[in-house]
Amino acid sequence: MKDPRIRMASMIMLSCAAFAGMEAALASVLWVLVFSDRKFKVPSLPAFLGLFVIISVIAILSIGDASGGLSYFTRMSALIIITVWAYSAIRPGEILDTLVWLLGNKTGFELGLTAEIAMTEIRRIPEDYRMARIAMDFKGKKIRIRDYIPVLGNILTITLKRAEEHGKILAGRGYIRGGTHRPEFVTEKNDWLALFFSIMIVFIVFLPLVRYL
């Protein structure tokens, strides 16, 4: 999928559909498997696996409730898979391109620049985690489950400090608001096909709701 506008629109629609019902969640995962290159990557594998452990525990505790533990696990797992796909597929500059196309060179540029800085910091999380592991090794300690919270807290603190430095650099160079950017997009036939099926999934999910209006 080449066009980031279609990719982001599909991500939003599939996320809404997956949250609405178990059948739509399964259809959304199937969509990801069909239309993605299936080269997934995550900022932090332990955090990714930890999310699945958390939703598994909640699903087990929810067995017998009206919501249904299986339905909860399926929907939350689908949302995680969609998020991982979106993170893996996005390329540097695509969020800026899309938001400038959508909202213009003022608001779109501002939000796009902020999002690009955030994505840059997210991509650095694996390196920060690796450095934390090295620091623990130097101390002769192994990271246990109870150590993940302070380690992730330190990574978050470092990330926020770097973001603050980015802001100071932009301010020092005279940046106030907005900018000039002319995004260019490449759209393939497969992109339109993927968009069509994502719209169909949302339509099928929310069609019963329209009947009650």
Side-chain angles (χ1 to χ4, degrees):
M1 185 177 292
K2 298 291 186 180
D3 196 325
R5 299 170 298 178
I6 294 178
R7 190 188 313 123
M8 293 180 189
S10 297
M11 178 196 67
I12 294 172
M13 288 188 289
L14 292 174
S15 298
C16 294
F19 187 78
M22 185 169 65
E23 295 78 7
L26 294 174
S28 298
V29 172
L30 180 61
W31 185 99
V32 172
L33 295 176
V34 171
F35 292 105
S36 71
D37 58 7
R38 293 183 291 279
K39 295 180 180 179
F40 303 138
K41 56 183 178 181
V42 294
S44 173
L45 183 59
F48 174 72
L49 297 177
L51 285 175
F52 272 106
V53 172
I54 292 172
I55 65 174
S56 298
V57 172
I58 296 176
I60 293 173
L61 296 176
S62 301
I63 294 177
D65 292 347
S67 59
L70 180 60
S71 175
Y72 174 84
F73 178 80
T74 303
R75 290 184 287 117
M76 293 301 103
S77 298
L79 287 173
I80 293 176
I81 292 173
I82 293 170
T83 302
V84 170
W85 158 70
Y87 172 81
S88 304
I90 200 167
R91 300 291 179 269
E94 288 186 342
I95 299 178
L96 178 62
D97 290 343
T98 302
L99 290 178
V100 168
W101 170 82
L102 182 64
L103 301 174
N105 273 319
K106 288 187 178 180
T107 304
F109 191 93
E110 183 83 5
L111 294 175
L113 183 61
T114 302
E116 290 291 344
I117 293 175
M119 287 300 299
T120 299
E121 294 303 323
I122 291 174
R123 293 188 183 100
R124 295 183 65 172
I125 289 178
E127 179 64 20
D128 292 336
Y129 178 75
R130 188 180 70 84
M131 297 301 295
R133 291 289 301 270
I134 292 176
M136 294 291 285
D137 290 340
F138 279 139
K139 295 180 181 180
K141 298 180 179 179
K142 293 183 178 181
I143 297 182
R144 293 167 293 183
I145 295 177
R146 66 182 183 182
D147 295 326
Y148 278 112
I149 293 179
V151 168
L152 293 176
N154 290 334
I155 291 176
L156 177 61
T157 301
I158 294 172
T159 300
L160 293 175
K161 287 182 178 180
R162 282 201 298 255
E164 182 181 5
E165 290 298 323
H166 282 301
K168 290 180 180 179
I169 292 173
L170 290 173
R173 293 181 177 179
Y175 178 79
I176 300 177
R177 185 182 181 186
T180 301
H181 181 59
R182 296 180 179 179
E184 296 181 358
F185 302 98
V186 176
T187 308
E188 297 180 342
K189 292 181 179 180
N190 191 53
D191 294 346
W192 294 114
L193 186 62
L195 179 63
F196 171 77
F197 278 104
S198 60
I199 293 174
M200 289 301 298
I201 292 174
V202 173
F203 179 76
I204 293 173
V205 169
F206 292 101
L207 181 60
L209 297 178
V210 176
R211 295 176 180 176
Y212 290 101
L213 298 179

